[in-house]
Amino acid sequence: MEGKRILVTGGSGLVGKAIEKVVADGEGRPDEQWIFISSKDADLTNAADTKCLFEKHKPTHVIHLAAMVGGLFRNMKYNLDFLRNNLHINDNVLHSAYEMGVQKVVSCLSTCIFPDKTTYPIDETMIHNGPPHTSNFGYSYAKRMIDVQNRAYYEQHGCKFTSVIPTNVFGPHDNFNIDDGHVLPGLIHKVYSAKQNGTALSIWGTGQPRRQFIYSLDLARLFIWVLREYNEVDPIILSVGEEDEVSIKEAAESIVAAMEFKGELIFDSTKSDGQFKKTASNHKLRKYLPDFQFTPFNKGSSGASESSRDVYWLFTGSYHYDITVGTVISALKCHVMMQQAAL
Ligand SMILES: NC(=O)c1ccc[n+]([C@@H]2O[C@H](COP(=O)([O-])OP(=O)(O)OC[C@H]3O[C@@H](n4cnc5c(N)ncnc54)[C@H](OP(=O)(O)O)[C@@H]3O)[C@@H](O)[C@H]2O)c1
């Protein structure tokens, strides 16, 4: 039997890099050829470019990650761009996959796209049950359309196109930009700068909102499982359990402890909190994979350990972070240097 050619769009991003690493570290199989692409290979907002890319690589399978992605504040500023770019990218990728006879596509949604007013925990059946939070409606509606398209491609053409719904992802190759990035890398960057400058740490919002965080390499393993084993068109939530949800304040305190920051913490409540919580159920995932082990967000959160040993995931390498440590520090230094050069 001929092997699989697996095209990963968004291969240069946080999740794509994690899949590349997991594949390189032994999850890949001899009959699989993995192709990781970025926007340098094709602008997926452009239909002709996307078609050319598919004709060039002739994938049998696709993991579709490419998207305009950003944290709360970038979403609030550019809702139209998030909507249009992501609608174009998703339509181009799914239609090229259909035209090329791709056997399976796994696309990526997000728990950010669930209805703002809802009951908890949220599950896979509730995606379309009401408007998303106003802060990121552009991104959310574009992502929701992937699920609609998957159903339509299945009903009209029998395509095996499905999607996964991860919670907030953290790991190597994250975006450490304070204005544009997600909460954890943004906080790490702010603590780094506050330490350098001897200033207080300003945390945007009240610190009360709650989030579930998934380590990118755990997510990568689950993506590969979905590609090989999961046969539903309906999406599946990829998340740690509800009991592992933490507040932004707790997350900030963990980072502060891990980085041994001794200065003052200020919560700037003039800045938006975004959606208060989006607690997701991983019940469906647990039915398939009851024994999957997630990397703990903060090993020392019980308070039993010394502060410098909290948040092992960040700096000590106790879990998978031996490589991450170097990546985080150099990414931060690089970013700070670039900012200074721009001044
Ligand atoms: N990060 C999270 O917390 C999170 C949570 C839930 C879901 N997700 C979803 O997971 C997926 C991956 O997210 P991520 O955090 O890995 O994102 P990321 O680090 O921002 O990477 C985005 C990727 O998409 C590519 N891309 C963007 N615009 C493109 C275009 N016009 N044409 C071709 N490629 C383009 C980028 O290529 P370049 O490097 O060349 O720009 C990059 O490889 C996304 O679909 C996102 O919505 C992420």
Side-chain angles (χ1 to χ4, degrees):
M1 202 183 80
E2 222 186 291
K4 291 180 185 162
R5 273 188 311 285
I6 305 162
L7 181 76
V8 182
T9 72
S12 54
L14 168 63
V15 182
K17 281 285 178 195
I19 296 177
E20 191 174 28
K21 175 158 174 52
V22 165
V23 166
D25 285 352
E27 281 284 338
R29 291 178 179 165
D31 67 338
E32 291 173 350
Q33 183 194 350
W34 288 79
I35 305 149
F36 294 87
I37 60 130
S38 74
S39 65
K40 292 193 183 72
D41 299 282
D43 176 4
L44 299 175
T45 61
N46 181 298
D49 278 14
T50 310
K51 199 169 177 206
C52 272
L53 180 89
F54 273 71
E55 281 166 354
K56 178 177 170 195
H57 293 293
K58 300 189 173 38
T60 59
H61 295 70
V62 173
I63 292 183
H64 172 39
L65 306 171
M68 182 175 177
V69 178
L72 170 65
F73 296 92
R74 188 171 180 218
N75 269 279
M76 285 166 63
K77 217 163 148 187
Y78 300 111
N79 264 301
L80 177 65
D81 292 353
F82 274 92
L83 179 72
R84 294 193 70 229
N85 287 338
N86 288 325
L87 282 174
H88 286 308
I89 289 175
N90 298 333
D91 188 51
N92 291 336
V93 168
L94 292 179
H95 200 64
S96 293
Y98 158 65
E99 284 183 332
M100 292 294 296
V102 169
Q103 292 166 33
K104 187 165 179 179
V105 179
V106 182
S107 298
C108 200
L109 315 184
S110 165
T111 48
C112 305
I113 73 169
F114 279 112
D116 182 29
K117 301 210 175 359
T118 183
T119 53
Y120 298 101
I122 305 172
D123 70 32
E124 292 84 352
T125 64
M126 296 156 78
I127 298 179
H128 305 285
N129 285 1
H133 192 263
T134 49
S135 59
N136 66 349
F137 68 91
Y139 175 82
S140 300
Y141 280 118
K143 286 281 184 187
R144 287 183 186 191
M145 282 305 115
I146 292 181
D147 178 53
V148 174
Q149 284 180 285
N150 285 348
R151 266 189 283 151
Y153 275 108
Y154 175 70
E155 283 183 17
Q156 205 168 320
H157 299 298
C159 297
K160 263 168 68 174
F161 295 173
T162 189
S163 60
V164 301
I165 312 177
T167 47
N168 291 53
V169 187
F170 69 94
H173 304 285
D174 211 333
N175 173 5
F176 289 89
N177 187 300
I178 290 175
D179 295 320
D180 292 352
H182 287 112
V183 59
L184 290 186
L187 280 169
I188 293 169
H189 190 161
K190 281 190 190 175
V191 173
Y192 179 86
S193 302
K195 274 186 86 163
Q196 295 284 308
N197 303 329
T199 51
L201 170 66
S202 170
I203 299 161
W204 290 351
T206 62
Q208 299 307 310
R210 303 183 67 76
R211 298 289 181 263
Q212 287 154 298
F213 293 101
I214 183 169
Y215 182 51
S216 62
L217 274 75
D218 293 347
L219 179 60
R221 286 186 197 92
L222 291 170
F223 251 107
I224 294 170
W225 168 77
V226 169
L227 186 76
R228 292 177 182 152
E229 312 286 348
Y230 179 74
N231 287 319
E232 298 183 32
V233 170
D234 290 337
I236 182 166
I237 290 174
L238 304 180
S239 172
V240 299
E242 293 154 55
E243 64 285 0
D244 293 317
E245 191 174 50
V246 293
S247 70
I248 300 300
K249 181 170 183 278
E250 287 163 336
E253 286 169 350
S254 301
I255 289 166
V256 161
M259 295 178 78
E260 298 182 330
F261 175 69
K262 307 286 184 220
E264 191 189 356
L265 269 60
I266 298 166
F267 291 90
D268 180 356
S269 54
T270 62
K271 292 275 199 306
S272 170
D273 266 342
Q275 196 166 354
F276 177 65
K277 66 177 189 172
K278 30 197 170 182
T279 320
S281 162
N282 68 359
H283 186 69
K284 184 174 186 179
L285 175 68
R286 282 302 183 203
K287 278 209 304 203
Y288 281 104
L289 296 178
D291 300 323
F292 185 85
Q293 296 284 317
F294 286 98
T295 303
F297 168 72
N298 182 5
K299 194 182 172 206
S301 60
S302 65
S305 57
E306 296 162 22
S307 65
S308 61
R309 282 165 45 207
D310 282 352
V311 198
Y312 261 35
W313 58 264
L314 188 54
F315 285 120
T316 66
S318 293
Y319 297 115
H320 309 289
Y321 266 85
D322 42 344
I323 292 165
T324 318
V325 176
T327 317
V328 168
I329 299 284
S330 55
L332 278 173
K333 281 193 177 147
C334 175
H335 183 80
V336 170
M337 273 160 51
M338 277 163 60
Q339 277 201 327
Q340 282 168 349
L343 289 175

